[in-house]
Amino acid sequence: MLKLATILANPGEPPTETRYHDPQLLRSLGYNGLVIYETTALSGVSEPNRAADPEVRQWINQQIERVDGAIRRATEAGLAVYLFYDVFVLLRELVMENSEKLTCRNRSRDLCPASDETLERCVEGIDAMLRRWPQLAGIVLRFGDTDADRLPHLVGNDLYDPHCPRCAHLGRADRIIRLVKHVYQQVVRRHDKTLIVRTWNVRPNGIHDTPELARRVIEQLPDDERMILSFKFTQTDFWRYQQWNPSSLVAGPRPIIYELQCQREFEGKGALPNWQAPLWRDGYPETRQLGGTDGLAAASTCANLAGVWAWVRGGGWGGPFVSDETWIDANVFAAPKLADNVYADDLAQRWVSERLDISEPTTARAIIDTLEASPEIVRQAFYIGAYADDRPNGWHPNAGWISDDLLDAQLAWRMIQKLPETHLDSVVAEKQEAVTALAHCRASLHQALGDRHDVLLESLIGSLTYAESLCETLRDLVAGLVAYRRWQHRKSPVDAEEVRKRLLAAQSHWSQHTQPHGPLPGARVATPFREVHFWDLTEDVLAKVNAG
């Protein structure tokens, strides 16, 4: 059973400071493989010294040296190593020299999926990787997204987008099949390595979120256990309100792995507790009424489960940047244990005992209760349930109002405007329930702490204080906008007073959340969220209500 770990380090962002760079730690937690993400920057670079800019050449070679070290340390720790590789991506100089053959006709910025030359040059880059590092276990192929736009030495695009006289006849299935068969010949047949095919597409209607397309593609792929299909466990991205990935369930006997995100990018990135193990095991409670398969336990009975792949850190862009990994560690601990036993239901207790080394009953119980309450707290705080329930497909159930560390108040207002009047009270209530539950968890941890000094408990309490100020902002912002919508229709003084009370409270909580230092010593466990349109919108609404 594969139990893979990876740290996603985005180009242009500060390197992630994390204990999980230590492969010995990953091995001790039960992982048996490491996926190195940084090699996305080496995709399509078969000859590093062909880069014209000397600084770029130096950077590429430094990247190769870093990968050398990571591979060496991982193999010494007993981990199998896989390298990330993006297609279609090529070195910029190579594209400039051969633009007519490599790019779409009349679209010189797009690498053409119908070009044999483009495909061969991309595969040459994979061959160069496998010859440079023969100790590798395999390659992870990504074709529905690339980092090329963020890396100045590369040109690239996903294989779905291009549309020119040469490639327009290629449908989505044809493009995927053609690519995967070529890469399979290089990785599996020539080098005798494992090929992990990531099915991810960054926009709707790709293989990852469309079972009919997945079925057509998979039927045409080579039947070989050394080629594994990888799916995010969610139908679309790592949001709530998602069915268990239905495309993964049409793979028949082909081996598949599920990608699990330990630091949830749309839900605070580990700055607050967000216990994923029961959701991985059983699926999302809010989508079970839709039918189908729910959770890893059920999926393992109808799919050829070859393992799991944990994103132990990373995913998304920007902050919050987390300095205390304790809540993330609970998910990192759980992922390989679920691969070993998809029915495991004692993982919270085991994490508290084995990783936090806590045996005192009151403290252990308070932390476990906080973990177990956290999935519902996060759902209620970070989503507007009445809006998400009504989405026609799984994409963007939160409408983007919270993405990474950015709160967009204008998008919250747009969602509220679209809801039926009968749903508005439930929207306000769910936010209040999240705040109430957070306060209860914080009080339990305070009680466990008592008068003693305990760095761990103080940090966990600090994370809940951080979360409370954020969630109180969300509660009062949403309640104030609901009251404003009603005031627009009724012009009631009662509604006007509710708008003032709630939006002024939201502004106060936001100021508390974003102040440079947390309200408790050492409590700032993550960078604060940022806002767009928050002050403009709330001030504008208050001015209109005050003007009558």
Side-chain angles (χ1 to χ4, degrees), residues 61-94:
N61 284 302
Q62 288 173 343
Q63 194 81 345
I64 290 171
E65 290 177 6
R66 284 192 287 269
V67 173
D68 270 331
I71 292 173
R72 183 181 66 256
R73 290 188 295 273
T75 52
E76 289 173 354
L79 298 179
V81 179
Y82 302 80
L83 300 185
F84 233 103
Y85 192 91
D86 286 351
V87 176
F88 294 108
V89 171
L90 289 172
L91 188 68
R92 182 171 296 277
E93 282 77 8
L94 181 63

Side-chain angles (χ1 to χ4, degrees), residues 3 14 22 41 68 76 83-84 105 121 126 131 156 221 244 260 370 420 422-423 439 441 490 494:
K3 291 169 282 188
D22 180 2
D68 270 331
E76 289 173 354
L83 300 185
F84 233 103
R105 292 172 183 171
R121 292 301 183 97
I126 296 175
R131 285 187 287 106
L221 296 182
W244 192 263
L260 313 174
T370 299
T422 53
H423 291 173
C441 292
R490 303 188 298 213
V494 174

